[in-house]
Amino acid sequence: MDIVLQETALLEIDPQNDFCPAYASGTGRTYPGGALAVNRGDEVIEPLNALAARIAQGGGRVIATADWHPRGHISFASSHPGRKTGDSLDLPGVKGQILWPDHCVQGTWGAAFHEKLDLEPVNLILRKGARVGLDSYSAFFENDRTSSTGLEGYLRGLGIKTLIIGGLATDYCVFYTVLDARRLGFTVFVPEDAVRGVGQPEGSVEQALKTMAEAGVVFKKPGELL
Ligand code: VGL
Ligand code: ZN
């Protein structure tokens, strides 16, 4: 397969502590596991690092995104008395916003990137979901589906045509980012070893994989890409 690395960007979606299980931190602290830990979520870090190094060497770009919510964020169940995690709510401009446990609160350890994520090859860190009244699963558009994060302009300004998208979680932030990328006309590869899903509600990962495939995403087995 011919991927022109100078026209390629890797999107590392939300490889943050709150989406990862417990691990022993190198700074002598044991991280108890994230508020929204994805089963084996930390397994995406190594494949992402390998891809990032390769893409950076070849003249491509690497973008890491971070879910970055203020306290009291509208996506937190705790912000809606009487509601619980997993409930879904129609908000002005956003139908079916799912309510989550408090997670990725700005400046907290949970919002920090996983310690093993190699930030050296990363060109841009894009923070999203930072407005208290609006969530953002996609790295391109917030959940009102119209507010841009600026990522499209950044990529177009660099002549990027192909995106390799991995990270967390397959059925939420990766899913919405991938679908927006396809709609915007980018060629999209998803390395299977570099994504993990939440799986709530049940079947959401399978549904997400199917919908992404139908949208023209090319899934790659370990070692098949680059
Ligand atoms: C995510 C749920 C809530 C994700 C972010 O990164 O997939 N999921 N916020
Ligand atoms: Zn979030």
Side-chain angles (χ1 to χ4, degrees):
M1 184 195 4
D2 308 296
I3 294 185
V4 181
L5 285 180
Q6 292 89 339
E7 297 179 353
T8 299
L10 172 67
L11 302 187
E12 303 183 309
I13 304 297
D14 303 0
Q16 293 164 274
N17 288 323
D18 263 345
F19 298 120
C20 290
Y23 68 94
S25 157
T27 56
R29 172 173 172 181
T30 298
Y31 181 59
L36 205 58
V38 173
N39 191 26
R40 296 160 58 201
D42 53 339
E43 291 178 10
V44 306
I45 305 294
E46 268 185 41
L48 287 176
N49 286 345
L51 286 166
R54 181 79 188 81
I55 289 166
Q57 273 162 16
R61 306 283 169 144
V62 180
I63 296 107
T65 69
D67 215 31
W68 193 251
H69 302 314
R71 278 172 213 289
H73 191 251
I74 198 153
S75 76
F76 297 170
S78 64
S79 305
H80 306 271
R83 304 279 179 163
K84 58 182 195 314
T85 293
D87 284 358
S88 128
L89 211 58
D90 288 338
L91 304 168
V94 180
K95 270 182 74 108
Q97 170 69 51
I98 296 177
L99 300 183
W100 303 101
D102 292 18
H103 65 280
C104 296
V105 173
Q106 295 174 1
T108 62
W109 172 269
F113 289 120
H114 190 286
E115 261 180 27
K116 301 222 166 65
L117 187 75
D118 180 8
L119 292 177
E120 268 181 45
V122 172
N123 298 103
L124 175 73
I125 292 174
L126 181 89
R127 290 168 166 170
K128 62 185 179 62
R131 284 198 276 170
V132 76
L134 186 57
D135 200 8
S136 190
Y137 293 148
S138 166
F140 290 99
F141 295 98
E142 299 187 89
N143 285 9
D144 61 2
R145 312 311 296 134
T146 53
S147 301
S148 170
T149 63
L151 181 59
E152 181 192 2
Y154 174 83
L155 296 172
R156 298 237 191 266
L158 294 168
I160 301 292
K161 298 189 170 58
T162 299
L163 297 177
I164 299 170
I165 304 180
L168 303 168
T170 313
D171 37 353
Y172 289 97
C173 291
V174 170
F175 176 69
Y176 283 93
T177 300
V178 159
L179 287 198
D180 280 346
R182 286 294 302 140
R183 194 166 48 79
L184 294 169
F186 293 99
T187 299
V188 176
F189 296 100
V190 171
E192 288 175 356
D193 55 337
V195 292
R196 292 287 184 279
V198 175
Q200 279 169 26
E202 210 187 308
S204 61
V205 173
E206 293 72 16
Q207 183 60 48
L209 293 173
K210 182 166 173 277
T211 305
M212 289 192 277
E214 284 164 2
V217 171
V218 181
F219 292 94
K220 290 288 175 186
K221 302 248 178 271
E224 274 184 359
L225 196 63
L226 309 178

